[in-house]
Amino acid sequence: MTIIGLAPSSVRTRPAHFDIERVIRPNILTLHPYRCARDDYSSGILLDANENALGHSISLSEDASQLNGDSNVVAELNPILGLDLHRYPDPSHPKIKRRIAELRGLPSINHVFLGVGSDEVIDLLMRVCVAPGREKILITPPTYGMYAVNLELSAEGGEGGEKGRFSLRVDEVKRAIDADPSIKLIFLCSPGNPTGTLISLASIRAILDYEPFKGIVIVDEAYIDFSEPGSSAVSLIAEYANLCVMQTLSKSFGLAAIRLGIAIAQPPLIQILTNTKAPYNIGTPTAHLALRALSPTSISAVRKNNETLNASRAKLLSGLHSLKELGLGRAIGAQDANFIMIPVLARGGSVPDNVRAQRVYVTLAEEEGVVVRYRGGEAGCGGCLRITVGTEEENAIALTKVKKALENL
């Protein structure tokens, strides 16, 4: 069966045991995607999409007066308001994809899909691959919580695919595959959230090459730019048709508010995602900002900021470890992301203490104005708080407040 929109190819798929047409649900393979007005023509007198020809109706004069004449509001919004907001956005965004392909060393834009954050990518992958009530995904807790949430959201009549939960050891993942051939997707978070631990390329290869698994391995690399260069699974894309790598502009690019997620895979899977996405999923303001964020000058700034955050991470980690006498344990996992996960121990003891950790968490937020994340309820994370690396000033304040909370609780 031919994937709609994808030219036939005589290139042999690797690994040999993988056939994408056996992974994608049959009704998705035959789905004819919605045809957008902008798929055919994007210039001229556009009378084809029932848009408002008079343009947007946003007025800045009243807003500025209510803000005591603050002209900065007008100056900030004018560039956005000049983006033809009354027109539907480009449904494909080839310029953004081209810059991503260049940044990540991909052969073409046909290896790139754009989503509304990584969450849209997760949702689409589950919808196109997993038959509700009959097929499953495998996750390796502790991990990003939206994998499980999206599976439940995609369930029909409450019958979601059962979630396999295994520690991230290749031998355990293989045993899970052997025990259950209905597993269609494996989600690996690298660096892990909340552990901050990078998964080696050798481990990812071992799962991709494992012949009994006929599904797709998804590697979520939201934090990859905080890791050592050369650690991204994108380097395996050319070899493996059963691999999908997710990335985002939310973390290292500092653009969490624009919600731009990225899927990187071989063209057949990218075409399937393209066929099933919403027609105009990436809005014009988001695209405008993303294109500039991916310019050479902006990417240089991203790398410089990442170096600063990594240096701050090391300093913050050292400061947290200096509080061991007050009942703060050694950080959990490796330090390959822009956060640290560290256990709060029972007072005077060496055992992680969820009750004390929750008290520290609430005290920091409600009395000290420092908000961290409690993660004690997750597998292997007893008593843990996850602390994002902030600015140098924020980190110094956080250390002082954590010390105070531990002394009093």
Side-chain angles (χ1 to χ4, degrees):
M1 185 180 294
T2 301
I3 296 174
I4 295 171
L6 185 71
S9 173
S10 60
V11 178
R12 297 190 63 180
T13 300
R14 296 179 59 190
H17 64 264
F18 178 73
D19 181 356
I20 192 169
E21 293 182 13
R22 294 182 178 274
V23 178
I24 305 301
R25 295 168 61 187
N27 59 309
I28 300 297
L29 284 173
T30 59
L31 175 70
H32 283 266
Y34 176 80
R35 188 136 192 89
C36 304
R38 296 289 82 81
D39 280 334
D40 292 328
Y41 305 104
S42 59
S43 62
I45 297 175
L46 300 174
L47 304 176
D48 59 341
N50 303 333
E51 298 152 328
N52 189 326
L54 300 183
H56 69 76
S57 302
I58 298 174
S59 173
L60 295 178
S61 57
E62 181 180 356
D63 295 338
S65 64
Q66 289 178 346
L67 291 170
N68 299 319
D70 186 356
S71 60
N72 289 334
V73 174
V74 178
E76 289 172 3
L77 288 181
N78 270 336
I80 298 296
L81 297 181
L83 293 176
D84 284 339
L85 298 182
H86 64 302
R87 298 294 184 193
Y88 285 111
D90 183 338
S92 56
H93 300 289
K95 292 180 180 178
I96 298 174
K97 293 177 181 178
R98 188 168 297 110
R99 288 191 175 178
I100 292 170
E102 291 170 355
L103 176 64
R104 302 308 188 190
L106 301 167
S108 75
I109 66 173
N110 296 330
H111 291 70
V112 181
F113 173 83
L114 304 179
V116 182
S118 296
D119 294 333
E120 184 184 17
V121 179
I122 295 167
D123 179 62
L124 281 177
L125 285 166
M126 290 188 186
R127 287 212 244 170
V128 303
C129 295
V130 181
R134 300 199 311 272
E135 296 171 330
K136 303 176 184 177
I137 69 167
L138 188 151
I139 59 177
T140 57
T143 193
Y144 181 44
M146 281 304 294
Y147 307 144
V149 170
N150 274 107
L151 185 70
E152 296 304 324
L153 289 173
S154 66
E156 294 175 359
E159 294 295 328
E162 184 179 335
K163 298 171 285 295
R165 296 174 179 269
F166 297 86
S167 68
L168 186 48
R169 290 178 49 182
V170 173
D171 58 341
E172 288 198 29
V173 171
K174 287 182 176 179
R175 281 199 294 271
I177 292 167
D178 292 339
D180 195 342
S182 71
I183 295 172
K184 280 293 216 42
L185 302 176
I186 297 175
F187 283 89
L188 305 176
C189 199
S190 178
N193 178 8
T195 64
T197 301
L198 189 72
I199 302 173
S200 71
L201 295 183
S203 295
I204 295 171
R205 276 184 181 276
I207 299 171
L208 291 166
D209 283 327
Y210 194 54
E211 193 275 337
F213 180 57
K214 311 299 185 184
I216 296 171
V217 177
I218 299 107
V219 181
D220 188 344
E221 293 189 341
Y223 301 94
I224 194 65
D225 290 327
F226 300 109
S227 304
E228 288 295 318
S231 55
S232 172
V234 170
S235 63
L236 306 179
I237 289 292
E239 287 185 65
Y240 294 97
N242 55 341
L243 171 64
C244 179
V245 178
M246 297 193 304
Q247 296 185 351
T248 179
L249 296 192
S250 293
K251 308 301 181 181
S252 62
F253 281 80
L255 290 171
I258 74 170
R259 310 303 301 131
L260 190 84
I262 303 160
I264 299 172
Q266 290 192 12
L269 181 56
I270 296 300
Q271 187 63 53
I272 290 290
L273 294 175
T274 301
N275 290 351
T276 52
K277 75 175 181 67
Y280 306 104
N281 61 333
I282 307 300
T284 296
T286 289
H288 175 76
L289 293 168
L291 191 61
R292 278 144 187 79
L294 290 160
S295 70
T297 302
S298 295
I299 289 171
S300 294
V302 168
R303 289 169 176 158
K304 183 177 180 181
N305 286 343
N306 290 347
E307 290 175 3
T308 298
L309 287 170
N310 285 350
S312 296
R313 177 183 64 199
K315 189 174 180 180
L316 177 60
L317 181 64
S318 176
L320 291 169
H321 284 167
S322 72
L323 303 179
K324 62 181 180 180
E325 298 301 325
L326 297 175
L328 208 57
R330 300 290 297 180
I332 301 294
Q335 313 307 320
D336 295 309
N338 67 331
F339 56 83
I340 295 167
M341 191 168 72
I342 196 159
V344 176
L345 309 179
R347 178 175 281 277
S350 59
V351 178
D353 186 338
N354 276 350
V355 173
R356 189 179 184 214
Q358 284 183 315
R359 292 174 65 196
V360 171
Y361 160 67
V362 172
T363 298
L364 286 173
E366 297 185 0
E367 299 179 21
E368 304 296 345
V370 175
V371 182
V372 297
R373 197 82 180 265
Y374 173 72
R375 279 289 177 255
E378 299 187 41
C381 303
C384 280
L385 301 178
R386 194 191 68 194
I387 304 175
T388 304
V389 179
T391 64
E392 284 199 27
E393 180 183 6
E394 289 172 334
N395 294 339
I397 293 172
L399 282 170
T400 300
K401 300 298 186 180
V402 170
K403 182 176 183 292
K404 178 182 176 182
L406 290 171
E407 288 172 337
N408 295 328
L409 296 171

